[in-house]
Amino acid sequence: MNSIISSKSLNLSGEIKVPGDKSISHRALIIGSTVNGKIRIRNLLESEDVLATANALKKLDVKINKISNDEWEVFGNGIGCLEGSNSLLDMGNSGTGARLLMGLVAGSDVEATFTGDQSLSTRPMERITTPLIKTGAKVNCNNNSTLPINIKGSKVPLPILYHSPIASAQVKSSILLAGLSSLGKTTIIEPFLSRDHTERLLKYLGAEVITTQLENSSWEIILNGMPQLKPLNINVPSDPSSAAFPIVASIITPNSNVLVKNVCINELRIGLYKTLIEMGANISFSNQREVDGEFVADINAKSSELSGIIVPKSRAPSMIDEYPILAIAAIKAKGDTIMEGIEELRYKETDRIKAMDDGLSSMGIKTKSTKDSLTVHGKGKTSLISGGIEIDSRLDHRIAMSFLCLGLITEKPVIVNDTDTINSSFPIFFDQMNKIGAKLKYLKN
Ligand code: S3P
């Protein structure tokens, strides 16, 4: 159990390397396994979450190799062609890996049992099993619908029409992956548009996916089953959810100026950046371009003066993983930052509303939380924040990294315990943050 101590820092500056996007990395491996032939993936995120997905696919008879420092190859067996007899798939900490792979297994003539770590084993899976059962998959699990879950897929799943009660890219993607091997159109309707990396990657490889906003303002996504997917190479852009940590650190730390290159700026992922700009943050995007179906840019952030705002519910899907670090930025804002419609945060790696509320309250920051909102009473740019607290990561990488960023601006250091969880999404966080001037140190056990 490693602990990191984060101490007051000034002048964060320079260029920081942020690894490949986690969502796109999972999808590159999973969708790559369904093409006929070999694809190469560059800048794949080599984190515990993504490696768990790669290992699970290998157990399902997909050949995956790392071929150089920056390149992986996947030998796709074609749609619906997973193999193996009741493989045990340990998905570690990863909700995305577990839920997406359950969809792929549901659309294959194969059986597998999914397990995960302590955090993943408490997360809700009914959101996935309900639609997958409709496609014809046989699902075996406990009454709470938590892992371990056994799924027996069907060779020709039914093309379903599913109204998702929540805007979740994991739910949408799981259904689309099952629908790949259906003989017909799979349709999902979601209340707000969630991240669309699955749709983009499928389209890039040649599938027909149509997204339309309906009259009641919900969104309909239709996939035509059994597409001919081309074995094209995939360049994974850097992860905006990981970039969020050095960017916010640079905004709240005096005299800072940090650049993150090659970041995915998909419209459905940049809610945090829009919010920070509305709050007055000095953030700019340059070198915007399209790479393999995704939009990418370099992002620069400088120390800024922030004001609190109301972050509307409609923005939640585009920044769902960024609320913990927004709560840290909100401490330095003038006035209240009110985050609405965020109940989904209660079902992440930990209950993130509670984790932030508890952690901030423990150092005297005024907060208010309801079932689906969090308010942080900002203290303003020049305020002094005491710090001097110890935080448990609760097996949640984003909680750990958020409080380590907070320690950079507190009077006394902040200690975060059980920080190995950071390896699930940003294994180079410690080195890269120190490279730009952050004072992070491992504590000896
Ligand atoms: C993800 C979707 C999000 C996000 C998660 C990654 C994905 O979950 O929290 O970290 O890659 O599809 P939901 O869309 O289920 O909220």
Side-chain angles (χ1 to χ4, degrees), residues 293-309:
E294 291 284 356
F295 292 100
V296 174
D298 302 339
I299 306 181
N300 174 246
K302 297 181 181 146
S303 316
S304 312
E305 207 152 314
L306 303 176
S307 303
I309 61 163

mmCIF file of all heavy atoms in Angstrom, residues 293-309:
data_model
loop_
_atom_site.group_PDB
_atom_site.id
_atom_site.type_symbol
_atom_site.label_atom_id
_atom_site.label_comp_id
_atom_site.label_asym_id
_atom_site.label_seq_id
_atom_site.Cartn_x
_atom_site.Cartn_y
_atom_site.Cartn_z
ATOM 1 N N GLY A 293 -10.800 9.416 -36.891
ATOM 2 C CA GLY A 293 -12.193 9.556 -36.463
ATOM 3 C C GLY A 293 -12.393 10.339 -35.178
ATOM 4 O O GLY A 293 -13.526 10.522 -34.739
ATOM 5 N N GLU A 294 -11.313 10.804 -34.544
ATOM 6 C CA GLU A 294 -11.446 11.591 -33.307
ATOM 7 C C GLU A 294 -10.787 12.960 -33.488
ATOM 8 O O GLU A 294 -9.785 13.080 -34.191
ATOM 9 C CB GLU A 294 -10.764 10.860 -32.135
ATOM 10 C CG GLU A 294 -11.447 9.586 -31.696
ATOM 11 C CD GLU A 294 -12.731 9.830 -30.881
ATOM 12 O OE1 GLU A 294 -13.068 10.992 -30.583
ATOM 13 O OE2 GLU A 294 -13.384 8.823 -30.550
ATOM 14 N N PHE A 295 -11.322 13.993 -32.791
ATOM 15 C CA PHE A 295 -10.700 15.319 -32.836
ATOM 16 C C PHE A 295 -9.666 15.450 -31.716
ATOM 17 O O PHE A 295 -9.873 14.977 -30.604
ATOM 18 C CB PHE A 295 -11.760 16.424 -32.750
ATOM 19 C CG PHE A 295 -12.605 16.461 -33.983
ATOM 20 C CD1 PHE A 295 -13.862 15.881 -33.999
ATOM 21 C CD2 PHE A 295 -12.115 17.006 -35.157
ATOM 22 C CE1 PHE A 295 -14.627 15.871 -35.157
ATOM 23 C CE2 PHE A 295 -12.860 17.000 -36.332
ATOM 24 C CZ PHE A 295 -14.126 16.428 -36.331
ATOM 25 N N VAL A 296 -8.558 16.115 -32.071
ATOM 26 C CA VAL A 296 -7.389 16.158 -31.198
ATOM 27 C C VAL A 296 -6.840 17.590 -31.181
ATOM 28 O O VAL A 296 -6.965 18.306 -32.174
ATOM 29 C CB VAL A 296 -6.306 15.199 -31.774
ATOM 30 C CG1 VAL A 296 -5.011 15.280 -31.014
ATOM 31 C CG2 VAL A 296 -6.820 13.760 -31.808
ATOM 32 N N ALA A 297 -6.251 18.010 -30.051
ATOM 33 C CA ALA A 297 -5.610 19.341 -29.998
ATOM 34 C C ALA A 297 -4.551 19.363 -28.906
ATOM 35 O O ALA A 297 -4.471 18.455 -28.081
ATOM 36 C CB ALA A 297 -6.645 20.417 -29.703
ATOM 37 N N ASP A 298 -3.726 20.410 -28.899
ATOM 38 C CA ASP A 298 -2.803 20.655 -27.796
ATOM 39 C C ASP A 298 -3.509 21.625 -26.845
ATOM 40 O O ASP A 298 -4.189 22.553 -27.306
ATOM 41 C CB ASP A 298 -1.497 21.278 -28.301
ATOM 42 C CG ASP A 298 -0.821 20.380 -29.352
ATOM 43 O OD1 ASP A 298 -1.135 19.171 -29.383
ATOM 44 O OD2 ASP A 298 0.001 20.912 -30.135
ATOM 45 N N ILE A 299 -3.376 21.410 -25.551
ATOM 46 C CA ILE A 299 -4.080 22.260 -24.579
ATOM 47 C C ILE A 299 -3.062 22.936 -23.664
ATOM 48 O O ILE A 299 -2.176 22.292 -23.119
ATOM 49 C CB ILE A 299 -5.076 21.444 -23.722
ATOM 50 C CG1 ILE A 299 -6.053 20.661 -24.608
ATOM 51 C CG2 ILE A 299 -5.855 22.358 -22.782
ATOM 52 C CD1 ILE A 299 -7.084 19.840 -23.850
ATOM 53 N N ASN A 300 -3.225 24.263 -23.545
ATOM 54 C CA ASN A 300 -2.346 25.046 -22.686
ATOM 55 C C ASN A 300 -3.184 25.639 -21.549
ATOM 56 O O ASN A 300 -4.291 26.096 -21.770
ATOM 57 C CB ASN A 300 -1.715 26.169 -23.531
ATOM 58 C CG ASN A 300 -0.897 27.115 -22.684
ATOM 59 O OD1 ASN A 300 -1.240 28.275 -22.532
ATOM 60 N ND2 ASN A 300 0.176 26.618 -22.110
ATOM 61 N N ALA A 301 -2.661 25.595 -20.340
ATOM 62 C CA ALA A 301 -3.374 26.197 -19.199
ATOM 63 C C ALA A 301 -2.399 26.997 -18.353
ATOM 64 O O ALA A 301 -1.248 26.591 -18.159
ATOM 65 C CB ALA A 301 -4.014 25.112 -18.352
ATOM 66 N N LYS A 302 -2.905 28.148 -17.874
ATOM 67 C CA LYS A 302 -2.072 29.021 -17.027
ATOM 68 C C LYS A 302 -2.813 29.334 -15.723
ATOM 69 O O LYS A 302 -4.045 29.216 -15.684
ATOM 70 C CB LYS A 302 -1.799 30.338 -17.759
ATOM 71 C CG LYS A 302 -1.008 30.153 -19.027
ATOM 72 C CD LYS A 302 -0.748 31.486 -19.701
ATOM 73 C CE LYS A 302 0.031 31.255 -20.992
ATOM 74 N NZ LYS A 302 -0.305 32.182 -22.046
ATOM 75 N N SER A 303 -2.095 29.778 -14.723
ATOM 76 C CA SER A 303 -2.720 30.171 -13.450
ATOM 77 C C SER A 303 -3.862 31.139 -13.733
ATOM 78 O O SER A 303 -3.717 32.032 -14.575
ATOM 79 C CB SER A 303 -1.724 30.899 -12.556
ATOM 80 O OG SER A 303 -0.505 30.232 -12.567
ATOM 81 N N SER A 304 -4.963 30.976 -13.033
ATOM 82 C CA SER A 304 -6.158 31.763 -13.368
ATOM 83 C C SER A 304 -6.919 32.170 -12.123
ATOM 84 O O SER A 304 -6.754 31.589 -11.060
ATOM 85 C CB SER A 304 -7.105 30.927 -14.247
ATOM 86 O OG SER A 304 -6.431 30.314 -15.310
ATOM 87 N N GLU A 305 -7.805 33.149 -12.328
ATOM 88 C CA GLU A 305 -8.726 33.565 -11.267
ATOM 89 C C GLU A 305 -10.090 33.008 -11.626
ATOM 90 O O GLU A 305 -10.595 33.273 -12.727
ATOM 91 C CB GLU A 305 -8.779 35.098 -11.269
ATOM 92 C CG GLU A 305 -9.116 35.653 -9.952
ATOM 93 C CD GLU A 305 -8.519 37.050 -9.797
ATOM 94 O OE1 GLU A 305 -7.323 37.251 -10.141
ATOM 95 O OE2 GLU A 305 -9.260 37.915 -9.364
ATOM 96 N N LEU A 306 -10.682 32.222 -10.748
ATOM 97 C CA LEU A 306 -11.933 31.528 -11.094
ATOM 98 C C LEU A 306 -13.123 32.097 -10.323
ATOM 99 O O LEU A 306 -12.968 32.572 -9.209
ATOM 100 C CB LEU A 306 -11.807 30.032 -10.763
ATOM 101 C CG LEU A 306 -10.667 29.246 -11.416
ATOM 102 C CD1 LEU A 306 -10.656 27.800 -10.891
ATOM 103 C CD2 LEU A 306 -10.793 29.249 -12.938
ATOM 104 N N SER A 307 -14.310 31.971 -10.942
ATOM 105 C CA SER A 307 -15.556 32.291 -10.232
ATOM 106 C C SER A 307 -16.442 31.054 -10.263
ATOM 107 O O SER A 307 -16.453 30.321 -11.255
ATOM 108 C CB SER A 307 -16.315 33.413 -10.949
ATOM 109 O OG SER A 307 -15.497 34.530 -11.054
ATOM 110 N N GLY A 308 -17.195 30.845 -9.208
ATOM 111 C CA GLY A 308 -18.093 29.692 -9.149
ATOM 112 C C GLY A 308 -19.227 29.810 -10.154
ATOM 113 O O GLY A 308 -19.646 30.920 -10.495
ATOM 114 N N ILE A 309 -19.702 28.694 -10.669
ATOM 115 C CA ILE A 309 -20.846 28.696 -11.597
ATOM 116 C C ILE A 309 -21.750 27.507 -11.264
ATOM 117 O O ILE A 309 -21.392 26.638 -10.471
ATOM 118 C CB ILE A 309 -20.419 28.590 -13.090
ATOM 119 C CG1 ILE A 309 -19.651 27.283 -13.346
ATOM 120 C CG2 ILE A 309 -19.642 29.789 -13.543
ATOM 121 C CD1 ILE A 309 -19.567 26.929 -14.822
#
